[in-house]
């Protein structure tokens, strides 16, 4: 939290432009913060920015839901098939 706060205050993070930035730009901006990884960034895009295509494939609950379906073993293939509605699939798996 300390690193996030410092980078937020000193302008290192371009947080005011996140709504207009592409996903890769947001990832590149946030990954420089100590303690923030792919799951946290995806969750921020899903909840904070309301992006419609954020499938949190590394989330434990999502992994369990996928295992119950047993329809595919290729996670990349599944993620691609959910696009552009990955966020909705994430919410459904969580429920």
């Amino acid at each position: 939290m300390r690193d996030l706060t410092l980078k937020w205050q000193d302008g290192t993070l371009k947080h005011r432009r996140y709504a207009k930035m592409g996903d890769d730009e947001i990832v590149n901006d946030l990954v420089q913060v100590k303690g923030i990884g792919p799951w946290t960034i995806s969750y921020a895009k899903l909840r904070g920015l309301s992006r419609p295509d954020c499938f949190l494939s590394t989330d434990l609950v999502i992994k369990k839901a996928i295992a119950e379906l047993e329809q595919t073993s290729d996670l990349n293939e599944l993620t691609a098939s959910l696009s552009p509605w990955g966020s909705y699939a994430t919410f459904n798996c969580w429920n």
Side-chain angles (χ1 to χ4, degrees):
M1 292 301 290
R2 171 178 245 148
D3 194 38
L4 175 64
T5 303
L6 292 173
K7 284 182 171 53
W8 190 281
Q9 288 177 338
D10 72 12
T12 302
L13 297 177
K14 302 170 196 84
H15 62 279
R16 297 187 192 276
R17 298 186 311 172
Y18 285 168
K20 297 177 184 174
M21 292 169 74
D23 288 345
D24 291 338
E25 292 174 290
I26 294 169
V27 169
N28 291 335
D29 201 46
L30 287 173
V31 79
Q32 62 187 318
V33 178
K34 184 178 179 180
I36 292 185
W39 185 92
T40 305
I41 295 168
S42 293
Y43 189 81
K45 290 187 307 182
L46 174 79
R47 293 295 216 169
L49 297 172
S50 301
R51 297 282 170 106
D53 196 18
C54 293
F55 185 64
L56 275 70
S57 60
T58 60
D59 184 89
L60 183 59
V61 174
I62 302 295
K63 286 182 176 183
K64 287 181 179 180
I66 291 169
E68 288 177 14
L69 293 175
E70 295 180 10
Q71 291 182 352
T72 183
S73 60
D74 185 2
L75 195 54
N76 292 329
E77 182 181 309
L78 176 64
T79 301
S81 73
L82 296 171
S83 185
W85 309 111
S87 297
Y88 302 99
T90 296
F91 286 127
N92 280 314
C93 289
W94 282 344
N95 292 325

